[in-house]
Amino acid sequence: MKARTSFEKSVVAANERLTDIAQKQIDWAVNKCVSHVAFRNAHDKCVCGDCGHSFIYDGKAKNIRCPHCEKLLTINDTKKRNIEYKTYFGTLEIIDVIQVLRVHLLEVKYRKGHELKSFAGEVCRLWVSNKGQLAATSLRRCLGWYVDSFNWQSKIELRQLSDVLMHISDCYIYPHYRLLPELRRNGLKSISMDVHPISLMKALLTDPRIETLQKRSDHNALKHFLQNGSDLKHCWDSYKIAMRRGYLPDDMMMWCDLIKLLDKCGRDIRNPKYVCPTDLKAEHDHWLNKVRKAEQKKRDEIQLKKAKEDEANFYATKSRYFGIVIADKDIEISVLDSIEAYKNEGEHMKHCVFRASYYTKPESIILSAHDREGNRIETVEFSIVEGRVIQSRGVCNSNTEYHDRIVNLVNTNAYRFLQAKATA
Ligand SMILES: [Zn+2]
């Protein structure tokens, strides 16, 4: 890739001048970034992966110190003779007033009875200017199954800053480093493991909101907003108000969801009453419920509008049954005679008679069974093809104590529907 901007040109120049990292940095990575092993066989004989010496240990502890080299080892009860670990680690430098994170692949090989062997090779460098511009120089990537496989014959050159490079650079960092004065001015004292160092540096140099969070040491919010840029956009004003009140949500994800729900419901998301809830979970669930109900209502209205467009067809197939009322001394069962009646029935009985478009089923008649005061009991589906009730359901699809009575009552009056069908 050709350097186009002046920043890229200065990166290319600086890239040529970087020297190899020091052996002490590799030694640190071997010590801190991979686990150290002891091979233990069935006779409790342990072999240290680091120095290759053996000793006896029959205890239950997972970790033990080698009596020969004093390394803290993780016990592996295994018949294996070779164990290999690979990881990435980073070193931070400043060159030509550019911050650079150099990422190295570390391979550590343990062979039973031998000293450990390690290899460290530099894979990529991520560059950050004091204005927050980013660039990357790296080895060429090999095409294949693994996205992080690199061609070790290629040169570290200016290339696209890909997701792969961002992913592998989120790694352990050698703890002795210098940071750009602009980064220190904006609150960065040290790099922590829980946020991506390059994303954090860029944000600190370009976004005053992130600088505010960094200076307040509000790591929880900093981490969330760095990883969820759209939440920063939607919730920042509310967060400022919460901060001023000393309100720090434990669960940032849930808090941001709450703010977005409140906004959907048209509530004032700058009002401390809403943005500093005492019971976050309860408030979140309350407003989530409201939003769901509002969305369902909207969907129902759209469905009703669509159904009304085809209302003529509904009357053509169903109107011949309107007016049929079946009753005994307590119960009255009548045919639903409009699309609105289906919607009301579905809403009151909390089932899908409207949402599943039963009004379009040509072979079914839907009836509502209610008591003498008009309280709904069950909704009945009568099949004209079969000449009998095929289902009858109470609130939330339950059965009521009147269920059998309602089904029998409609079935004994089946002839009335069949007559109405014949006379049409
Ligand atoms: Zn040892």
Side-chain angles (χ1 to χ4, degrees):
M1 188 174 123
K2 206 168 172 255
R4 293 181 198 281
T5 64
S6 62
F7 174 58
E8 285 175 353
K9 284 173 188 162
S10 47
V11 163
V12 170
N15 187 53
E16 294 301 320
R17 292 183 25 243
L18 281 178
T19 50
D20 287 347
I21 60 163
Q23 185 58 42
K24 65 177 179 187
Q25 292 173 310
I26 299 171
D27 293 345
W28 167 85
V30 172
N31 274 324
K32 299 287 183 187
C33 302
V34 290
S35 131
H36 292 258
V37 302
F39 300 84
R40 181 164 70 177
N41 69 11
H43 309 292
D44 298 324
K45 185 182 167 192
C46 300
V47 179
C48 171
D50 268 53
C51 67
H53 287 102
S54 50
F55 55 96
I56 298 291
Y57 177 70
D58 59 359
K60 287 207 161 40
K62 281 255 173 264
N63 297 297
I64 183 165
R65 210 166 276 284
C66 169
H68 303 279
C69 67
E70 305 223 309
K71 192 87 203 160
L72 190 63
L73 307 171
T74 306
I75 303 230
N76 276 252
D77 290 306
T78 177
K79 286 181 180 168
K80 280 188 194 167
R81 303 194 58 84
N82 296 291
I83 294 178
E84 242 183 85
Y85 289 122
K86 284 184 186 182
T87 189
Y88 290 97
F89 73 96
T91 53
L92 272 167
E93 287 178 35
I94 296 174
I95 180 164
D96 298 347
V97 279
I98 310 173
Q99 186 83 55
V100 55
L101 171 62
R102 306 175 68 177
V103 181
H104 316 263
L105 175 68
L106 175 72
E107 285 182 33
V108 176
K109 289 182 182 174
Y110 300 104
R111 220 173 122 211
K112 204 168 176 178
H114 294 78
E115 281 187 26
L116 77 81
K117 284 203 173 111
S118 64
F119 157 83
E122 191 167 6
V123 176
C124 70
R125 299 163 180 168
L126 304 191
W127 306 77
V128 187
S129 78
N130 56 8
K131 294 189 182 69
Q133 298 150 293
L134 299 186
T137 55
S138 75
L139 297 177
R140 186 186 298 284
R141 254 176 64 205
C142 301
L143 292 177
W145 185 257
Y146 296 103
V147 288
D148 67 333
S149 112
F150 294 90
N151 178 355
W152 293 96
Q153 309 302 319
S154 63
K155 273 180 70 181
I156 294 189
E157 293 179 335
L158 190 67
R159 298 183 205 275
Q160 282 293 344
L161 176 49
S162 63
D163 290 345
V164 174
L165 298 187
M166 282 302 275
H167 181 71
I168 63 172
S169 57
D170 197 1
C171 58
Y172 293 105
I173 288 178
Y174 182 65
H176 304 287
Y177 48 75
R178 287 190 304 136
L179 294 170
L180 285 176
E182 290 82 358
L183 286 169
R184 279 189 277 116
R185 178 197 68 199
N186 292 1
L188 190 64
K189 299 284 181 285
S190 64
I191 303 288
S192 73
M193 272 302 288
D194 53 354
V195 287
H196 194 295
I198 296 299
S199 308
L200 175 62
M201 287 179 192
K202 179 186 159 86
L204 271 178
L205 294 166
T206 53
D207 192 335
R209 297 171 295 186
I210 297 296
E211 187 186 333
T212 306
L213 294 174
Q214 176 70 38
K215 286 184 173 166
R216 291 175 61 96
S217 302
D218 190 351
H219 293 297
N220 201 8
L222 179 76
K223 188 179 165 194
H224 179 82
F225 285 136
L226 268 184
Q227 290 167 349
N228 302 275
S230 65
D231 279 1
L232 182 59
K233 191 174 149 201
H234 287 117
C235 308
W236 178 249
D237 288 341
S238 310
Y239 195 75
K240 268 197 305 193
I241 288 154
M243 265 193 310
R244 271 186 226 133
R245 299 251 163 176
Y247 181 87
L248 297 173
D250 290 332
D251 188 335
M252 277 301 292
M253 188 70 88
M254 192 184 279
W255 183 84
C256 288
D257 281 350
L258 169 66
I259 300 301
K260 288 182 277 186
L261 292 167
L262 286 164
D263 199 24
K264 267 190 188 167
C265 293
R267 294 302 186 277
D268 178 10
I269 55 168
R270 296 173 185 220
N271 185 339
K273 182 179 108 183
Y274 291 122
V275 303
C276 308
T278 36
D279 186 344
L280 175 59
K281 171 94 173 58
E283 283 295 301
H284 171 271
D285 293 354
H286 169 75
W287 292 103
L288 179 63
N289 212 2
K290 282 218 160 186
V291 166
R292 279 191 183 149
K293 274 190 183 155
E295 284 173 353
Q296 187 57 55
K297 202 174 166 196
K298 217 182 242 174
R299 280 200 291 275
D300 286 352
E301 270 158 20
I302 292 169
Q303 189 186 344
L304 182 65
K305 205 177 151 205
K306 256 194 186 158
K308 293 292 264 184
E309 285 165 13
D310 202 24
E311 204 175 19
N313 193 27
F314 169 76
Y315 284 117
T317 52
K318 308 279 186 203
S319 62
R320 70 194 68 158
Y321 309 107
F322 293 173
I324 296 179
V325 178
I326 303 161
D328 67 7
K329 64 181 176 34
D330 308 307
I331 308 168
E332 195 175 84
I333 308 164
S334 54
V335 177
L336 296 183
D337 57 3
S338 68
I339 293 170
E340 284 87 347
Y342 277 75
K343 186 164 174 282
N344 289 337
E345 185 78 5
E347 275 170 14
H348 282 96
M349 300 297 278
K350 298 184 173 34
H351 57 40
C352 61
V353 69
F354 173 70
R355 285 176 199 149
S357 310
Y358 273 72
Y359 46 84
T360 59
K361 275 180 94 172
E363 69 280 12
S364 287
I365 303 161
I366 306 296
L367 304 100
S368 173
H370 39 268
D371 64 16
R372 289 288 172 185
E373 279 77 49
N375 302 311
R376 289 179 171 87
I377 307 170
E378 288 197 8
T379 308
V380 186
E381 181 180 9
F382 180 85
S383 163
I384 317 166
V385 181
E386 296 186 33
R388 64 179 185 91
V389 171
I390 50 175
Q391 59 174 336
S392 181
R393 295 176 189 272
V395 175
C396 299
N397 290 318
S398 63
N399 273 358
T400 66
E401 54 177 313
Y402 297 102
H403 178 76
D404 293 341
R405 199 164 142 191
I406 290 167
V407 174
N408 286 335
L409 203 52
V410 177
N411 279 341
T412 38
N413 282 275
Y415 69 94
R416 296 172 63 185
F417 298 103
L418 301 176
Q419 271 175 1
K421 185 188 173 194
T423 54

